[in-house]
Amino acid sequence: VSAEGGARGALRDARQGPAALAPFFSSRWVKAPSFVRDLGLQAGLPAGFRAAGVASGIKASGRPDVGLLVCDASSCTSAARFTASSAAAAPVRVCKDRCDLAGLRALLVNSGCANAATGERGIDDAQATQRAAAVALGVEPSQVAVASTGGIRQFLPRELMLRGIERASGELRPDGDADFQRAIETTDTSEKRACLELELAAGMVRIAAQCKGAGMISPRFATMLCFIETDAALEASCAEPLLRDSVGRSFARTSVDGQLSTNDTVIMIASGASGVRVPRGREDEVRFGEALDALLRQLAILLVADGEGARRIARVRARGGDGDRLELAARAVANSPLVKAALYGGDPNWGRILVAVGGALPALEPLAMDISIEGIQVCRAGGVTAYDEAALARAVEAAEVEYELRLPGDGAQAEVFFSDLSHDYVTLNAEYTT
Amino acid sequence: VSAEGGARGALRDARQGPAALAPFFSSRWVKAPSFVRDLGLQAGLPAGFRAAGVASGIKASGRPDVGLLVCDASSCTSAARFTASSAAAAPVRVCKDRCDLAGLRALLVNSGCANAATGERGIDDAQATQRAAAVALGVEPSQVAVASTGGIRQFLPRELMLRGIERASGELRPDGDADFQRAIETTDTSEKRACLELELAAGMVRIAAQCKGAGMISPRFATMLCFIETDAALEASCAEPLLRDSVGRSFARTSVDGQLSTNDTVIMIASGASGVRVPRGREDEVRFGEALDALLRQLAILLVADGEGARRIARVRARGGDGDRLELAARAVANSPLVKAALYGGDPNWGRILVAVGGALPALEPLAMDISIEGIQVCRAGGVTAYDEAALARAVEAAEVEYELRLPGDGAQAEVFFSDLSHDYVTLNAEYTT
């Protein structure tokens, strides 16, 4: 089965015009390793996977809202990461409490309802749909991860879900990733999806991923979700740290509005169908990790760039001797509404960076911080220094802006990617009563 | 000398119409003690004080920008609180390093330039103006507190300041508080000023205060400043804890955008000119503290309500057994851009409150929190509960909205006052390049 023809045009529309043909690795902040090839949006899933996405009526718009993905190799391995929020949604709790997270074989995902703040009834609903998917796919319930995104405070429409599962299970295809992707999206305006081919010492393998988020966390359309499939053969004890580290270097380093979703979920499944083993501690594991890093970092940047209302994105990178302080400093800048508003306005107002870090690190008084923007040093040891104001004004009007902070000491660094604060952010989050 | 006539009309204009005649205690969240009387905006300063405010050309607009205040009683006492930011501005560092903070006799304040991120030159500039004010007023430099508000990254225009000090020192008057107030304002749109009379057991005393902030912290127009004068006789060992506690219950419990200014300064001076002593540990000290609390809480709420672009303000009050957690929870709600945008939009979207607290308190999983809005319970033990949606929708359209959080345990509470997130906030902070 092929997704050529009509699907190609639809995909191009979904990516809004010329961007449809843009390469996946589009940010200067991500280096694609030389042994990685972008296969484009029509490559389908790696060997051993089938997926589908259908419209079951959960979304009032009638758009796709139930996605199903299955690994046909019974010996597959997996790894998962979830939101740290103590208000985690029912599907997250079901995954953590009832799934074999190292041996997942299927994903059931819905959009249009987050099944969050729904108490015991929410847990029951999530489990009922998990069981239905297991029956439809011929696997154990504990092998089916569930994930939801959409409005908080609403109960999962169980009947619609069951109908969606039944239909989707009849439409599973090796190139069903595009349909699956659409079924997990909410306010996303760009398609965050990729399929990469890796040249390892042991042979060729593929990694694909489907991701949603609109880059921001909102109870209306909560959450970032990302699902990763590979046909490499990974031991579970290898998959878990690989995923943990790559998530730690990508999604965990982003901020649209500093709000942690109730539903964040990242799951990787390895089918082994390529026959290529990636053993622990070997060069191929390093390569696989590098490719996974690049994949997730580019997806994370796409999330931030698609943050609700976002016009510009930025990276703040802090260097110095104390990693914990650098982390606080970088996150304080990324979450400052003043820095974000300046980013939106193309305003080179670095005083706001000083304010953000000074408030986050009160013990460092006096704050002897250097600040550079796009390589132009504007602040030395906490005080103004001479710089080319016209060059700076031009630099901050780019689509990607880089802030560098230098704190005392050496050897540590922290980076965060973030979006701006725009009128549209306020409109999207204030004017549409939910 | 009287401020009647022209000044009254000007004040009314400054307060934008009918609000000029509104009583000072306007928020339901502040109870004025029965022994306190609001003397209105024309009462002038308590006995023993003179003040002035002049336009010296620091502000390009030509509006007043240098304020001077002196206590004529040589035996006065004082107390001071400053920003916790490690990027504290030069005037804050000069106050902390070079002033007798328990024996201040004068205040030199300018708007239009924060003298922040200005390094050693900024310290020199602040000290030069401090010395000039001391000479003009016949006091010691260490008795003159300096405070600045305005743009970060600019050096203090020393000559303009010296000229302003000279002129202001010739215009000091017992009712100069209105002029002083105008000289310390930046983007403020309401006049945050009061004079109260207190009936103590030992006699009548007065407390006046002048405050600025526009409720928000911005490098363009940074800072909240508040200056308090009383004719009560306070020992310095009494003034310090009284001010510390009242600031802790007022200005320290506000958020417009969660950003800590480089210049925040609160100073109280007691002249003793009433002849009424407020001894430590007596009932009159409790009464004075209650009045000071009410004064600063109402001023803090006026600051928040005048936050740039603010349409609505809110109080979040968290109760439970663990004070530190309640503090984190209340501040997370007050600083959430999603909660703020919902407040602006009059959107009863309490899922965002759950998201904010769930992200701030990851260890509490599962988050068994109750939420009430304006007395209507919407969430029980982290899950949705039945409520009157129409009543809730009406309640969140008021000018002041109250959120109550209930976490496990008893005996502790934390409250924070905050403003909304509006289109005007973005416009003010994005579109005017500084």
Side-chain angles (χ1 to χ4, degrees), chain B residues 134-381:
Chain B
V135 169
L137 299 171
V139 301
E140 294 297 314
S142 65
Q143 295 177 309
V144 181
V146 288
S148 300
T149 178
I152 287 189
R153 304 172 297 162
Q154 293 152 21
F155 293 109
L156 194 65
R158 205 193 276 207
E159 291 309 312
L160 298 179
M161 281 292 292
L162 297 180
R163 211 180 308 157
I165 291 164
E166 194 185 329
R167 276 195 41 222
S169 65
E171 296 184 16
L172 294 164
R173 296 183 316 184
D175 63 350
D177 52 329
D179 292 337
F180 179 80
Q181 170 80 41
R182 270 191 288 276
I184 71 174
E185 288 175 351
T186 54
T187 50
D188 302 72
T189 66
S190 73
E191 187 166 20
K192 301 167 193 77
R193 189 162 69 83
C195 185
L196 307 179
E197 188 168 59
L198 283 58
E199 191 178 338
L200 303 182
M204 307 295 276
V205 301
R206 291 185 176 195
I207 316 180
Q210 306 82 40
C211 181
K212 70 79 58 176
M216 67 91 60
I217 309 309
S218 148
R220 254 187 318 142
F221 298 115
T223 304
M224 63 94 8
L225 303 178
C226 183
F227 305 106
I228 304 144
E229 306 85 26
T230 179
D231 54 12
L234 292 179
E235 291 166 49
S237 64
C238 175
E240 209 284 325
L242 279 171
L243 185 67
R244 183 192 62 217
D245 291 352
S246 285
V247 169
R249 288 191 283 259
S250 56
F251 299 118
R253 311 218 64 78
T254 62
S255 169
V256 171
D257 51 16
Q259 298 300 289
L260 183 65
S261 160
T262 51
N263 290 58
D264 292 336
T265 300
V266 183
I267 292 174
M268 176 167 73
I269 304 181
S271 70
S274 67
V276 176
R277 282 188 61 230
V278 177
R280 286 190 73 178
R282 299 286 184 76
E283 176 63 19
D284 274 354
E285 188 195 16
V286 175
R287 287 195 154 202
F288 190 93
E290 282 177 25
L292 189 62
D293 263 12
L295 173 64
L296 299 196
R297 278 169 67 88
Q298 180 63 57
L299 286 171
I301 289 169
L302 290 177
L303 279 191
V304 170
D306 199 22
E308 284 179 349
R311 178 194 285 176
R312 283 191 187 87
I313 64 171
R315 173 167 78 164
V316 54
R317 187 151 59 158
R319 296 167 200 261
D322 184 327
D324 291 343
R325 282 181 175 161
L326 298 177
E327 189 74 28
L328 285 172
R331 291 196 185 273
V333 170
N335 287 328
S336 160
L338 290 176
V339 171
K340 285 173 178 289
L343 178 65
Y344 171 63
D347 180 350
N349 191 332
W350 57 264
R352 298 176 180 186
I353 296 171
L354 198 73
V355 168
V357 179
L361 298 176
L364 277 191
E365 185 176 9
L367 184 64
M369 180 169 68
D370 296 344
I371 304 174
S372 295
I373 301 177
E374 288 291 322
I376 301 168
Q377 181 163 13
V378 294
C379 177
R380 188 186 303 275

Side-chain angles (χ1 to χ4, degrees), chain A residues 117 217 338 352 361 423 427 429, chain B residues 217 338 352 384 423 427 429:
Chain A
I217 310 309
L338 290 176
R352 299 176 179 186
L361 299 176
H423 289 108
T427 301
N429 288 293
Chain B
I217 309 309
L338 290 176
R352 298 176 180 186
V384 62
H423 289 107
T427 300
N429 289 293

